[in-house]
């Protein structure tokens, strides 16, 4: 999988994508992340990447020529590549979208800045527009990192433990149960005794009950969509009493 990232702040990507699982996946060549400076494709005297909006108004708009110049230089228009603009106007990113993207061989991410990107770029040179949440960032760079991270960890071999990607929250639409590790007593706070009982079935039931309870409290939207089994109902009832 190749990620091509177009940005005017390439150095923002150097450290985050060198660490942890993503760093290891790059070292092992499971993924490639190539960062391209949009300014390198701005050929006017001052290498301008933005300009004032037609029609007036606050802020600056990213010019089309440098972005499209960069897309052409990296041959982003080929059948292999999915070209995505990061913008708060995009469709909302989700685990399902990440799963879809993880099956592609090349993803091009365009990081918008300022008040936005010239609409002609969005309309004619991208396949998709994605937002990572209903809040406004100063640019698409952090959003691009979120997408690289969420997509890369779904690529076979990237995570050490394949099971952990499968069991994650949102693969199943319930939040995860609480986790504890040593020490058994941390500053007077203990661990639920059931986790120390050694009975796998008892532990599985407790975890499922906790996951359901947590989902109902924190994410009523997800909980409402769940199809609860008879056991689920029983576990919830046991927690309530
Ligand atoms: N750029 C600015 N805000 C953003 C968001 N929420 N998602 C994606 N790109 C953005």
């Amino acid at each position: 999988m190749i990620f091509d990232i177009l940005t005017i702040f390439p150095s923002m990507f150097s450290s985050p994508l060198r660490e942890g699982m993503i760093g290891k996946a790059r070292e092992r060549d499971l993924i490639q992340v190539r960062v391209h400076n949009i300014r390198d494709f701005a050929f006017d005297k001052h290498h301008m990447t933005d300009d004032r909006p037609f029609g007036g108004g606050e802020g600056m708009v990213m010019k089309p020529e440098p972005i499209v110049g960069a897309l052409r230089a990296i041959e982003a228009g080929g059948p292999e590549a999915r070209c995505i603009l990061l913008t708060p106007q995009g469709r909302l990113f989700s685990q399902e979208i990440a799963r879809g993207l993880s099956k592609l061989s090349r993803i091009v991410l365009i990081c918008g800045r300022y008040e936005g990107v010239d609409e002609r770029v969005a309309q004619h040179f991208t396949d998709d527009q994605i937002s990572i949440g209903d809040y406004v960032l100063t640019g698409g760079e952090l959003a691009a990192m979120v997408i690289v991270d969420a997509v890369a960890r779904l690529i076979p071999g990237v995570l050490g433990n394949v099971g952990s990607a499968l069991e994650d929250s949102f693969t199943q639409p319930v939040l995860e149960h609480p986790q504890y590790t040593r020490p058994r007593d941390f500053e007077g706070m203990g661990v639920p005794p059931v986790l120390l009982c050694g009975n796998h079935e008892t532990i599985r039931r407790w975890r499922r009950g906790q996951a359901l309870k947590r989902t109902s409290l924190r994410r009523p939207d997800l909980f409402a969509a769940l199809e609860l089994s008879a056991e689920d109902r029983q576990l919830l009832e046991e927690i309530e009493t």
Side-chain angles (χ1 to χ4, degrees), residues 106-183:
R106 188 176 178 206
I107 298 173
V108 179
L109 299 165
I110 305 173
C111 306
R113 278 264 145 190
Y114 312 106
E115 299 306 303
V117 170
D118 188 290
E119 186 63 20
R120 291 165 292 187
V121 172
Q123 274 200 357
H124 300 288
F125 296 91
T126 71
D127 306 305
D128 201 355
Q129 299 182 37
I130 291 181
S131 163
I132 60 160
D134 288 335
Y135 39 78
V136 183
L137 303 166
T138 55
E141 282 77 7
L142 290 170
M145 288 180 214
V146 165
I147 290 178
V148 171
D149 194 283
V151 171
R153 64 186 289 288
L154 297 176
I155 294 169
V158 168
L159 288 194
N161 176 3
V162 178
S164 56
L166 293 176
E167 280 164 26
D168 277 344
S169 302
F170 299 106
T171 302
Q172 292 205 322
V174 280
L175 302 187
E176 272 190 68
H177 56 77
Q179 298 273 24
Y180 296 85
T181 186
R182 288 187 288 184

Side-chain angles (χ1 to χ4, degrees), residues 48-54 59-65 114 116:
M48 298 292 289
T49 56
D50 61 331
D51 206 340
R52 289 169 310 184
F54 278 126
M60 300 289 268
V61 177
M62 289 186 79
K63 292 163 65 64
E65 305 96 312
Y114 312 106

Side-chain angles (χ1 to χ4, degrees), residues 2-241:
I2 299 174
F3 296 92
D4 282 295
I5 300 172
L6 273 57
T7 171
I8 56 165
F9 294 125
S11 61
M12 276 183 79
F13 291 87
S14 45
S15 167
L17 299 179
R18 264 206 321 259
E19 306 291 341
M21 290 295 189
I22 302 299
K24 286 215 177 67
R26 293 177 75 182
E27 278 168 23
R28 288 157 58 208
D29 239 5
L30 291 169
I31 62 166
Q32 265 189 60
V33 184
R34 308 189 292 210
V35 182
H36 311 276
N37 191 344
I38 292 171
R39 202 173 295 284
D40 293 343
F41 301 90
F43 297 114
D44 61 299
K45 199 167 74 186
H46 299 292
H47 301 283
M48 298 292 289
T49 56
D50 61 331
D51 206 340
R52 289 169 310 184
F54 278 126
E58 291 295 306
M60 300 289 268
V61 177
M62 289 186 79
K63 292 163 65 64
E65 305 96 312
I67 296 176
V68 172
L71 288 173
R72 289 192 175 129
I74 65 168
E75 296 178 2
E80 292 283 281
R82 172 85 56 93
C83 187
I84 300 170
L85 175 65
L86 285 323
T87 162
Q89 272 79 47
R91 65 191 178 116
L92 201 55
F93 190 55
S94 64
Q95 190 65 21
E96 197 185 335
I97 294 178
R99 226 174 287 131
L101 294 178
S102 73
K103 306 205 162 72
L104 302 173
S105 57
R106 188 176 178 206
I107 298 173
V108 179
L109 299 165
I110 305 173
C111 306
R113 278 264 145 190
Y114 312 106
E115 299 306 303
V117 170
D118 188 290
E119 186 63 20
R120 291 165 292 187
V121 172
Q123 274 200 357
H124 300 288
F125 296 91
T126 71
D127 306 305
D128 201 355
Q129 299 182 37
I130 291 181
S131 163
I132 60 160
D134 288 335
Y135 39 78
V136 183
L137 303 166
T138 55
E141 282 77 7
L142 290 170
M145 288 180 214
V146 165
I147 290 178
V148 171
D149 194 283
V151 171
R153 64 186 289 288
L154 297 176
I155 294 169
V158 168
L159 288 194
N161 176 3
V162 178
S164 56
L166 293 176
E167 280 164 26
D168 277 344
S169 302
F170 299 106
T171 302
Q172 292 205 322
V174 280
L175 302 187
E176 272 190 68
H177 56 77
Q179 298 273 24
Y180 296 85
T181 186
R182 288 187 288 184
R184 224 183 244 217
D185 183 309
F186 174 64
E187 299 187 352
M189 293 172 276
V191 168
V194 60
L195 296 177
L196 310 172
C197 76
N199 183 324
H200 294 303
E201 177 58 12
T202 309
I203 293 172
R204 183 196 65 76
R205 285 171 55 89
W206 181 84
R207 285 180 165 164
R208 178 71 182 167
Q210 292 293 314
L212 292 168
K213 177 76 187 158
R214 183 174 262 197
T215 307
S216 78
L217 289 175
R218 298 183 187 178
R219 291 295 304 273
D221 56 324
L222 294 181
F223 189 75
L226 284 179
E227 284 179 24
L228 298 176
S229 67
E231 185 196 59
D232 288 342
R233 269 184 253 282
Q234 191 196 344
L235 291 172
L236 280 166
E237 233 165 73
E238 282 170 19
I239 291 179
E240 299 299 338
T241 51

